């Protein structure tokens, strides 16, 4: 195990040196062998869209507890209040992951559909509608009850005024690993686990952790990207073994090339280290 750890560490460090990342973190837990690995795993990063997994957990828990019904509907609006001073802001339709939702403004959509759009297409409008419905305090309570440390939900997404004052959602690699472990643990009912994992398996953005993996691999994951951050975290399922959870967080200079490729390379070396098999060529 020690040799495996050092080999993996050296490979990850080389990949990140080559990528010119400002900072990075890796956390890994293998359920097949109980192998665990971490680099800078308690360093805090801007969570970007990975924070949406925490909101997914809170939705699933609310459904479990009977406080939320998936078929209930929310009014679709595009007006939110900044977490720092309450001034209104809107989500830009052109940069939203699911611009079709903006056509529904003034109408309603089911909580189940909004939850899917938040994760599968990374819709910021769906995210803020759900978080306003849940409340930040409820999302924080669910994370506390689940024992997830290092994932801090403080506000909705695309709140530029809050971002400029460094009032941000934050995460660590360990925190994301714990969050995904919670999604497959006993905190949720089987129905709640199935709901969350099935949505994450439909993720549309697959250029990082899933990219180098063989075609028979399935990845329940969530990416997060802003100008200065590029992340991916999730559960990798392989039919021949127990799954593993991998979280890779990077802080990068704006407009850095190769940011996603670096995370894909780490995914490849992790896969090879754990399975002894070659990844997709």
């Amino acid at each position: 195990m020690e040799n495996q750890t050092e080999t993996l560490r050296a490979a990850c460090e080389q990949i990140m040196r080559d990528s010119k990342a400002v900072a990075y973190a890796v956390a890994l837990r293998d359920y097949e062998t109980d192998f665990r690995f971490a680099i800078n795993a308690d360093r805090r990063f801007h969570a970007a869209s990975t924070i949406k997994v925490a909101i997914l957990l809170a939705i699933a828990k609310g459904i479990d507890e009977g406080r939320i019904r998936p078929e209930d509907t929310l009014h679709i609006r595009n007006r939110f209040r900044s977490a720092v001073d309450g001034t209104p802001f809107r989500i830009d339709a052109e940069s939203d992951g699911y611009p079709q939702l903006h056509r529904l403004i003034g109408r309603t959509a089911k909580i189940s559909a909004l939850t899917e759009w938040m994760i599968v297409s990374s819709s910021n409008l769906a995210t803020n509608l759900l978080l306003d419905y849940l409340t930040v305090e409820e999302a924080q309570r669910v994370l506390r009850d689940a024992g997830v440390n290092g994932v801090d939900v403080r506000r909705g997404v695309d709140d530029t005024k809050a971002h400029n004052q460094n009032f941000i959602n934050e995460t660590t690699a360990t925190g994301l690993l714990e969050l995904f472990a919670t999604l497959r643990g006993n905190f949720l009912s089987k129905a709640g686990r199935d709901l969350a994992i099935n949505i994450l398996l439909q993720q549309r953005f697959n250029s990082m952790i899933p990219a180098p993996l063989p075609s028979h691999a399935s990845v329940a994951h969530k990416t997060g990207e802003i100008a200065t951050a590029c992340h991916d975290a999730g559960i990798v399922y392989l039919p021949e073994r127990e799954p593993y959870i991998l979280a890779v967080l990077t802080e990068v200079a704006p407009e850095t090339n190769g940011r996603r490729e670096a995370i894909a390379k780490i995914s490849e070396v992790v896969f090879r280290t754990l399975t002894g098999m070659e990844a997709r060529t």
Side-chain angles (χ1 to χ4, degrees):
M1 284 285 187
E2 188 174 332
N3 185 49
Q4 192 178 37
T5 298
E6 290 313 307
T7 302
L8 185 54
R9 182 178 301 278
C12 290
E13 288 174 348
Q14 184 62 54
I15 290 165
M16 283 303 169
R17 269 197 303 273
D18 293 344
S19 79
K20 308 285 195 298
V22 175
Y24 71 95
V26 180
L28 169 68
R29 177 179 176 182
D30 182 20
Y31 285 88
E32 176 80 9
T33 63
D34 202 35
F35 175 67
R36 298 177 190 232
F37 174 80
I39 303 178
N40 306 325
D42 293 324
R43 186 193 188 280
R44 305 181 79 75
F45 290 79
H46 191 305
S49 285
T50 64
I51 205 65
K52 295 168 184 176
V53 184
I55 299 170
L56 174 64
L57 175 67
I59 293 281
K61 191 62 173 175
I63 293 170
D64 271 357
E65 294 174 349
R67 293 179 292 101
I68 297 174
R69 295 185 303 178
E71 66 275 12
D72 282 351
T73 59
L74 298 184
H75 176 71
I76 308 303
R77 57 183 164 78
N78 192 1
R79 182 182 170 88
F80 305 96
R81 296 204 171 273
S82 174
V84 292
D85 64 3
T87 55
F89 71 95
R90 288 180 169 80
I91 304 297
D92 178 30
E94 289 187 11
S95 61
D96 196 12
Y98 192 70
Q100 298 94 318
L101 177 55
H102 292 252
R103 297 181 203 145
L104 298 180
I105 288 169
R107 296 162 67 185
T108 61
K110 290 182 180 179
I111 289 174
S112 57
L114 290 166
T115 305
E116 284 193 23
W117 297 331
M118 172 179 71
I119 298 295
V120 177
S121 301
S122 206
S123 169
N124 288 343
L125 181 56
T127 301
N128 283 1
L129 289 166
L130 289 168
L131 187 59
D132 272 10
Y133 172 72
L134 277 172
T135 75
V136 167
E137 293 74 21
E138 174 63 11
Q140 291 170 339
R141 180 192 72 80
V142 171
L143 287 168
R144 274 197 312 274
D145 289 352
V148 174
N149 299 297
V151 178
D152 295 323
V153 181
R154 296 192 177 114
R155 60 166 174 83
V157 291
D158 253 13
D159 184 344
T160 303
K161 193 168 278 190
H163 181 271
N164 291 343
Q165 294 189 27
N166 205 35
F167 188 72
I168 59 175
N169 298 314
E170 289 187 313
T171 190
T172 65
T174 297
L176 282 176
L177 190 141
E178 289 178 356
L179 178 51
F180 276 92
T182 297
L183 292 175
R184 70 181 306 272
N186 295 320
F187 181 70
L188 297 174
S189 68
K190 183 181 184 302
R193 290 195 298 273
D194 289 348
L195 170 78
I197 296 298
N198 287 337
I199 289 174
L200 288 158
L201 283 167
Q202 298 173 56
Q203 173 64 241
R204 281 180 45 215
F205 305 103
N206 293 309
S207 61
M208 290 187 264
I209 288 176
L213 301 181
S215 57
H216 66 275
S218 301
V219 188
H221 70 117
K222 184 71 193 78
T223 59
E225 284 191 82
I226 56 171
T228 56
C230 185
H231 314 317
D232 199 3
I235 308 168
V236 177
Y237 296 94
L238 296 158
E240 68 272 13
R241 71 192 308 281
E242 289 296 304
Y244 61 88
I245 301 175
L246 175 63
V248 186
L249 308 181
T250 65
E251 184 180 315
V252 295
E255 308 308 320
T256 299
N257 292 325
R259 45 204 268 170
R260 295 175 187 164
E261 289 81 358
I263 293 176
K265 286 176 183 175
I266 286 185
S267 175
E268 180 178 6
V269 76
V270 165
F271 172 80
R272 203 166 56 233
T273 299
L274 294 182
T275 68
M277 295 188 288
E278 288 301 313
R280 186 183 296 174
T281 56

